Amino acid sequence: MPKTYEVKPDMVQILNEDGEVDKDLFLKLNIDNELLLTMYEWILKGRVFDKKFINLQRQGRIGTYGSFAGQEAAQVGSALAIKKQDWIIPSYRETVVSLIHGVPLNNFLMYFRGHFGGTRPPKNVNMFPIQHIIAGQIPQAVGCAWASKLKGEDSVSTCYFGDGATSQGDFHEGLNFASVYKLPVVFFCQNNQWAISVPIEKQMGSETIAQKATAYGMKGVRVDGNDVLACYQVATEAMERARSGNGPTLIEAVTYRLGSHTTADDWTRYRSKDEVELWANKKDPLIRFESFLKQQGLFSSERKAAIVSMVEDEIETALAEFETVKPAPAYESFDFAYDKPDEDLLIQKEELKRRIKSEGR
Ligand SMILES: Cc1ncc(C[n+]2csc(CCOP(=O)(O)OP(=O)(O)O)c2C)c(N)n1
Ligand SMILES: [Mg+2]
C-alpha cells in the first residue's frame, strides 16, 4: 500500500491537490499577487538548486548532500513568514529557508566542500550553523528564544527539524522548557514520513506529531506541508503568537521527501515506486502551485524559463568563484571542536597532518 495522508479536519489546507483554493480561506489570507509570485519563484528556485547540488555531488565537486525536493512548500511558506530580525535554527535540509533568510549560495558550496567557513552565516544573517545531530538544535533554539526574551528583543526563533527528531529527548526537553517560560519560539517539524529508512509509523505510537503539543500546553497545528499557502498562514500565525508574548507553537507540516535521504542513500531499498510516484505527481508542491497560478492567470512559461536560467547562471557564477578554493584539509576539524583543544587532540592533529603530508594528499 503506498503511504499517503488523508486530509483530515484537523489538517490546515488552503490549496488542494488539484490546485484549487478554498475561496474563503484564501480571501482571509489576504495575500497579494506579488507575494504569490515570490512564493512560486522560491519553490521553483529551490527545485532547480536541489537538482544542481545533486549533480555536483555526482560529479565529485561537492560532498554528501541532503535533498529537499518535495519539501519546498513547507520551507518557502514558513520562511517567508520569518522577518529579518528573527532567528533560524536549522537542520541539514533547510537549504531554501537559509537562502530566503539571506545566506549566500557560496556559503553552501563551501559547506558542502567541507570548509568550516561555510558553516558560518554572514554576521547580518540571524541563523545558526547547520545541525547534523538529530534534534540537537531544539534546546539551542529554546536558549536563543530565551536570550531574546531576556534582552527584550523583537525576535522569534524558528527551529526546523524532521519527524525522526521528535523521538529524541532533546525534542521533549526543549518543548517543555519553551512552554514553561512562554518563549518566542516556533517549532517547525517537516514530517516527510521517513527518518532515513524508518517510516513514521515505526517511529511513534501517536497518530500525529502536532498532538504532542497538548502535553506541553502549547498550540499544536497540523498543516498540509505541500500547500505553500497553508504553510505561510500557520507560520505567520505562530510567529505572531510568539512575538506577542503568547508562547511557542509546534507545527507539523505533512510533506514527503521525494529523493533519497542524502546522496549516500538509495530509497529504492526501502520504499515502493508507487508511493514515491504518488507524491511526485499529484501531491507535488510545485505542480500544485503552478496549476493554481494558471487558474489565477499568473503563470507564464517564459517567466518560468527565465527563473530557471537565472538560477543556473547564479550557480555557475558561484561555482566559478568557489572552485578556485581548495578543499579543506581534514586536520582542520580539530580546530573547531573546542575553544582550547587539549594536548591529546593537538597530538592527534599533528599526527594526521604528518600522515596527509607523507601520502602527498
Ligand atoms: C543523535 C543522532 N542520532 C542519529 C543520527 C543519524 N541520523 C542522521 S539523519 C537521521 C534521520 C533523521 O530523520 P528526520 O528527523 O525525520 O529528518 P529528515 O532527515 O527526514 O529530514 C538519523 C537517524 C544523527 N545524525 N544524530
Ligand atoms: Mg523525516
Side-chain angles (χ1 to χ4, degrees):
M1 264 288 280
K3 194 146 63 88
T4 178
Y5 63 70
E6 288 167 52
V7 181
K8 295 182 190 154
D10 70 341
M11 186 160 84
V12 181
Q13 187 188 64
I14 298 176
L15 181 64
N16 70 20
E17 292 173 12
D18 299 319
E20 290 156 353
V21 284
D22 177 311
K23 287 204 178 66
D24 291 340
L25 293 179
F26 183 59
L27 280 177
K28 229 168 106 195
L29 189 58
N30 196 17
I31 199 169
D32 61 21
N33 287 349
E34 198 185 328
L35 184 52
L36 290 175
L37 290 172
T38 303
M39 285 174 168
Y40 176 68
E41 190 168 318
W42 275 114
I43 292 175
L44 179 59
K45 274 178 161 183
R47 187 64 58 94
V48 180
F49 277 129
D50 194 73
K51 203 168 169 201
K52 188 80 187 179
F53 280 133
I54 293 172
N55 289 343
L56 289 174
Q57 191 279 336
R58 296 291 185 240
Q59 293 159 7
R61 291 157 87 185
I62 61 171
T64 308
Y65 171 72
S67 161
F68 60 91
Q71 300 182 211
E72 295 90 345
Q75 296 200 11
V76 171
S78 56
L80 289 175
I82 296 171
K83 298 200 166 116
K84 183 82 189 152
Q85 75 267 24
D86 296 329
W87 283 90
I88 288 175
I89 301 90
S91 82
Y92 42 81
R93 218 177 278 291
E94 280 74 52
T95 308
V96 77
V97 171
S98 322
L99 292 170
I100 291 175
H101 208 48
V103 176
L105 188 52
N106 241 319
N107 261 67
F108 281 98
L109 293 173
M110 296 282 280
Y111 177 80
F112 290 122
R113 212 170 203 203
H115 275 279
F116 288 92
T119 65
R120 263 184 232 125
K123 279 217 155 48
N124 63 343
V125 179
N126 285 348
M127 196 181 116
F128 275 41
I130 291 173
Q131 177 62 274
H132 277 269
I133 300 167
I134 301 304
Q137 72 276 31
I138 299 176
Q140 293 173 349
V142 172
C144 182
W146 197 17
S148 297
K149 185 170 176 170
L150 291 174
K151 287 175 166 175
E153 288 171 350
D154 172 28
S155 180
V156 175
S157 299
T158 299
C159 184
Y160 286 89
F161 52 91
D163 41 289
T166 65
S167 302
Q168 291 284 103
D170 276 351
F171 168 79
H172 300 282
E173 290 166 24
L175 264 69
N176 186 52
F177 201 98
S179 89
V180 169
Y181 287 91
K182 269 202 163 199
L183 297 179
V185 55
V186 177
F187 299 104
F188 196 90
C189 176
Q190 291 175 82
N191 173 6
N192 64 8
Q193 321 284 333
W194 292 88
I196 314 185
S197 54
V198 178
I200 183 89
E201 58 275 11
K202 284 204 179 154
Q203 177 99 232
M204 63 184 202
S206 55
E207 201 185 344
T208 72
I209 289 171
Q211 76 192 60
K212 294 173 198 276
T214 309
Y216 296 106
M218 70 174 72
K219 175 90 179 160
V221 188
R222 194 160 195 256
V223 62
D224 182 343
N226 286 8
D227 168 0
V228 67
L229 300 175
C231 288
Y232 177 73
Q233 186 198 304
V234 300
T236 303
E237 286 170 1
M239 302 293 296
E240 280 168 9
R241 194 171 299 119
R243 220 179 285 286
S244 56
N246 289 312
T249 306
L250 170 63
I251 297 172
E252 174 189 3
V254 183
T255 181
Y256 195 78
R257 157 168 64 77
L258 289 175
S260 289
H261 173 69
T262 65
T263 46
D265 172 49
D266 172 8
W267 67 254
T268 61
R269 308 260 311 256
Y270 54 84
R271 306 198 295 198
S272 76
K273 284 215 165 68
D274 286 352
E275 176 181 313
V276 178
E277 262 166 33
L278 185 74
W279 288 87
N281 296 313
K282 211 162 158 44
K283 291 173 184 290
D284 183 295
L286 177 62
I287 298 174
R288 192 189 300 197
F289 202 55
E290 257 181 32
S291 62
F292 163 69
L293 291 183
K294 279 177 191 157
Q295 288 166 40
Q296 299 286 309
L298 291 171
F299 178 79
S300 127
S301 43
E302 290 80 34
R303 197 178 141 77
K304 180 176 183 179
I307 295 170
V308 172
S309 99
M310 185 174 78
V311 175
E312 282 169 351
D313 285 354
E314 216 178 300
I315 294 176
E316 286 311 320
T317 310
L319 270 175
E321 192 186 318
F322 149 83
E323 292 202 313
T324 60
V325 180
K326 280 193 186 156
Y331 56 79
E332 242 188 43
S333 56
F334 286 96
D335 298 339
F336 299 94
Y338 296 97
D339 182 26
K340 289 190 185 69
D342 66 20
E343 210 172 308
D344 279 348
L345 281 180
L346 292 174
I347 293 168
Q348 288 174 38
K349 180 180 171 181
E350 286 314 307
E351 164 69 23
L352 185 61
K353 241 181 179 177
R354 262 198 307 278
R355 233 192 277 173
I356 289 174
K357 209 167 164 198
S358 71
E359 288 166 10
R361 286 196 273 145

